[in-house]
Amino acid sequence: MALTVQWAEAWIRECSQVLTEHRSELIELDRVIGDADHGENMQRGFAAVVGKLDDSGQETPGAVFKLTAMTLMSTVGGAAGPLYGTAFLRAATALGDVAEIDPAAVVVFLTAARDGVVARGKAEPGDKTMIDAWTPAVEAAGTAQSAGASSVEVLAAAANAAQAGAHATEPLIARKGRASYLGERSAGHRDPGAQSSALILQAAADTAGRQQ
């Protein structure tokens, strides 16, 4: 089954719900190695996107992603707004005006989103950032697509790899962002951006699975 604009809107609405449910968890993760605002910022940003979706009709998945990008950039403070905004904007650009996202296009937009985060944040795998969730997600998506997986299965592979990647940030010493100021004391804590990335990608897979 190809993914349509209905899926894209459902994904973003699911993101808002999931990030609200996990707000306290993200705040706690960010409290120990950051400035404790990641959960609140992400909840506020995606709630604002849902408000925009309620007030406008989007015709393509790319249009939904572009609206998401612009809203996150204007409502989410700190580093998360520009990073997630760039990710969704690059995904929107990669999809263009296509009406349906097939498995190959899933890999294309996930790769574009990851590359956008890299370009904006200048981070590499192992730096203890969002990239440590996005990079394994993209790699798993590509492997699944090459093996003939459906769009839903490709997203599920990406989500599982993103969650594993988020867990794997716990022993790392941060080399980017506010957490890097802590040096070795940043080890032992999961990166909040990697965890929110995993939640967002799981929401993508869950909503796609329900639309099968």
Side-chain angles (χ1 to χ4, degrees):
M1 183 196 75
L3 303 172
T4 64
V5 66
Q6 286 77 24
W7 164 76
E9 287 204 18
W11 176 24
I12 299 305
R13 293 180 188 279
E14 178 91 352
C15 285
S16 180
Q17 179 178 333
V18 168
L19 290 167
T20 297
E21 293 170 354
H22 290 267
R23 174 179 176 274
S24 296
E25 174 193 351
L26 294 174
I27 287 174
E28 182 59 22
L29 290 174
D30 198 28
R31 184 185 65 77
V32 292
I33 60 172
D35 46 16
D37 63 355
H38 190 61
E40 181 177 349
N41 281 338
M42 295 300 290
Q43 179 192 27
R44 182 176 64 251
F46 275 89
V49 179
V50 169
K52 293 285 184 66
L53 288 173
D54 289 340
D55 294 336
S56 63
Q58 305 301 318
E59 296 184 352
T60 64
V64 172
F65 293 168
K66 184 176 181 179
L67 178 70
T68 301
M70 304 312 291
T71 306
L72 292 179
M73 287 181 179
S74 63
T75 59
V76 177
L83 289 169
Y84 275 113
T86 301
F88 276 99
L89 189 59
R90 291 286 187 93
T93 301
L95 290 176
D97 295 329
V98 300
E100 296 186 342
I101 305 173
D102 63 17
V106 171
V107 177
V108 167
F109 89 73
L110 289 178
T111 302
R114 187 275 310 273
D115 291 349
V117 175
V118 170
R120 173 67 71 172
K122 312 297 184 189
E124 299 176 352
D127 282 346
K128 198 180 182 85
T129 72
M130 292 164 58
I131 295 302
D132 292 307
W134 279 95
T135 293
V138 168
E139 292 172 351
T143 299
Q145 189 268 328
S146 297
S150 67
S151 296
V152 175
E153 292 167 338
V154 171
L155 283 173
N160 290 338
Q163 187 58 65
H167 278 289
T169 64
E170 292 180 4
L172 298 178
I173 297 172
R175 297 195 295 251
K176 289 285 184 180
R178 193 178 183 88
S180 67
Y181 302 156
L182 298 176
E184 293 186 356
R185 287 182 293 145
S186 65
H189 306 287
R190 192 177 310 170
D191 179 69
Q195 184 59 32
S196 64
S197 295
L199 292 170
I200 286 169
L201 290 173
Q202 187 62 56
D206 290 344
T207 50
R210 287 198 292 270
Q211 292 188 2
Q212 275 187 310

